[in-house]
Amino acid sequence: MNGPLKRAALACLVMFGLLMINVNYLQTVRAEGLRSDSRNFRNFYDRYEIDRGRITAGNKVLAESVDTGSNDFRFERKYPGGKVYAPITGYFAPESERDMELAENSLLNGTSADLLIRRSLDLFSAKQSKGANVDLTINPKAQEAAYKALGASGKKGALVAIEPKTGAILAMVSIPTYDPNLLSKANKDTVNQAYNKLDKDPDKPLVNRAIERSYPPGSTFKVVTLSAYLESDDTIGPETQVNAPTVLDLPNTTDDLPNSGGAACGSGRVTLSFALEQSCNTPFAQMGMDLGYDAIQEQAKKYGIGGEPLEIPLPVAGSSIGKREDQAALAMTSIGQRSNQMTPLQMAMVAAGIANNGVVMKPYLVNKIADSEGDEIQSADPEELSTATSEDTARKLKEMMINVVAKGTATAAQVPGVTVAGKTGTAETATGQAPHAWFISFAPAEDPKVALALIVESGSAGGEASGGHTAAPIAKSVIEAVLGK
């Protein structure tokens, strides 16, 4: 071979080698980046080639894919449940998805390994593969009653209702909310404009306040402090007398802790049941200081507070009683203030634990998942999260919480013919701002079917907020919906 031919062959060999290196580089190192590049229109079109499975709650369809007949955007996502269910379903947008659409994405779009057999059968029979259907634990009557009642308050807030014996979430409402149909259109510019508008809204409608935001729990936390007190000595009960001064001196400070509105708590020495009925601050603050930080923290942990992050399967923000400080800070923590921060879901778990004889069940949202032909792939398997109290302590707490609704601060939650247990809360936030109104509850107390927690942010515009006046009537609506009253 002469010289020119050798050089030409060598050049071809080098170029072939470089080509192979580049091909392998693109297919390995850059493959994921190219797939997810927003300029990759093949991916954009491919998202709409998939007939995603439905999201349902009972017989109600919350999300489904509709055949548009278009060659480019074959299946578009629709949300018949709209705003009411948006904090749960989330949305399927041109370039992203969130909440249930994200958490169960591989099953909804049919790529999960759990659907391998179904895909194989579809391939063999030349059928177009579809995603799996996800059925939720949500009770539509409870969800819609909660949305209507909370929405009627005209305030921002959230509510979570749980079936105490299983942990199944029956309702999860967050207000304000959004219309997921605006974010599921097959048009990036339209969706981006809609998203940016929602994202910049100061009321943050995209935030699920039930699980993504924590708040000071106010006096609803007194049931946790009381749990620790009862667990410390089994001779203590609802009729045990405790000191209840009008004002409590906070150690090593110039501050005093009064009862709500500076009111007296009975004669100054009252039963535990009376202290809880009237939500007196001073006996529970003293109780916390006597028990100590470790006892309060340990009791809170038994209710799931400060433990491993929850996934239902949506991720849940952490709750905490705050760091160890001095005795004055512990007094405030014991009545649900200071650095004490809880999600509404966490406080619903506290109520559910007491309702379930001291056993806290792990909360969950997915009831079952079935393939496109209805064959079950997964089903809920209720799981114990922890034992928060003894059965005897739960019984005493239940008795006192019944009295709160029967003759205390939560009479507005009474349901004719049903024994309702509850605890109100009013959480101070900042000077000049109206406090948040809280309520936790369960019913029927003899055999609880529902436990719930709700918060109304700045529960009374510019005036006195109280869980009893603002939040308890909303809880009543949900209890009636679940019990069919």
Side-chain angles (χ1 to χ4, degrees), residues 60-389:
K60 191 175 184 69
V61 176
L62 310 183
E64 61 183 347
S65 291
V66 176
D67 192 342
T68 64
S70 166
N71 291 327
D72 293 332
F73 309 106
R74 176 75 184 276
F75 295 102
E76 191 167 294
R77 205 67 168 156
K78 299 290 184 184
Y79 297 90
K83 291 183 175 183
V84 180
Y85 297 89
I88 304 169
T89 61
Y91 56 78
F92 179 78
E95 295 177 290
S96 64
E97 53 277 323
R98 65 168 287 166
D99 298 324
M100 198 58 70
E101 291 279 23
L102 173 62
E104 301 294 356
N105 186 44
S106 65
L107 285 157
L108 287 165
N109 70 19
T111 60
S112 168
D114 292 341
L115 294 170
L116 180 60
I117 294 175
R118 171 50 52 196
R119 288 199 300 272
S120 301
L121 291 172
D122 289 341
L123 183 64
F124 183 74
S125 59
K127 289 177 63 177
Q128 182 177 10
S129 287
K130 298 179 179 179
N133 298 313
V134 176
D135 183 55
L136 305 180
T137 56
I138 294 295
N139 176 330
K141 286 184 178 177
Q143 179 78 9
E144 289 162 24
Y147 180 81
K148 183 179 178 182
L150 190 55
S153 72
K155 302 290 183 182
K156 299 186 284 289
L159 180 147
V160 180
I162 296 176
E163 186 176 65
K165 292 176 185 172
T166 63
I169 295 174
L170 304 174
M172 188 164 71
V173 168
S174 178
I175 290 179
T177 177
Y178 63 95
D179 183 355
N181 291 295
L182 299 176
L183 302 175
S184 64
K185 298 183 182 302
N187 184 308
K188 291 183 184 180
D189 291 339
T190 301
V191 168
N192 286 341
Q193 285 179 19
Y195 179 85
N196 290 335
K197 185 178 179 182
L198 290 166
D199 190 45
K200 291 176 181 174
D201 188 327
D203 287 337
K204 299 298 177 189
L206 291 171
V207 173
N208 183 347
R209 288 170 157 77
I211 58 173
E212 294 178 11
R213 185 169 284 186
S214 61
Y215 305 84
S219 294
T220 57
F221 191 79
K222 288 172 182 170
V223 298
V224 178
T225 303
L226 184 53
S227 299
Y229 190 55
L230 292 168
E231 288 283 276
S232 70
D233 182 348
D234 58 13
T235 66
I236 298 173
E239 297 306 314
T240 299
Q241 296 272 326
V242 292
N243 291 328
T246 301
V247 174
L248 182 69
D249 178 53
L250 295 178
N252 302 317
T253 73
T254 57
D255 297 327
D256 293 327
L257 174 67
N259 291 313
S260 178
C265 181
S267 61
R269 186 162 177 79
V270 300
T271 65
L272 277 178
S273 187
F274 183 86
L276 195 70
E277 286 165 36
Q278 300 305 316
S279 199
C280 303
N281 288 332
T282 56
F284 292 96
Q286 185 64 58
M287 213 178 284
M289 289 192 292
D290 292 344
L291 289 166
Y293 180 87
D294 289 341
I296 299 296
Q297 185 190 45
E298 183 61 27
Q299 184 60 65
K301 191 175 179 182
K302 289 179 179 177
Y303 279 111
I305 299 164
E308 290 293 317
L310 290 170
E311 292 190 350
I312 58 172
L314 314 186
V316 181
S319 294
S320 167
I321 68 166
K323 62 182 180 181
R324 185 193 301 271
E325 297 180 81
D326 56 17
Q327 283 290 84
L330 179 57
M332 299 301 293
T333 297
S334 303
I335 61 168
Q337 296 287 170
R338 193 74 179 187
S339 301
N340 202 332
Q341 291 282 313
M342 302 290 149
T343 61
L345 173 64
Q346 178 58 69
M347 290 313 296
M349 291 165 62
V350 171
I354 297 167
N356 194 35
N357 300 320
V359 178
V360 181
M361 301 300 289
K362 189 174 180 180
Y364 61 94
L365 265 171
V366 176
N367 178 40
K368 65 178 179 181
I369 298 176
D371 68 19
S372 56
E373 298 299 315
D375 294 329
E376 191 170 290
I377 298 168
Q378 298 175 16
S379 62
D381 184 14
E383 181 183 346
E384 268 189 38
L385 181 69
S386 60
T387 298
T389 71

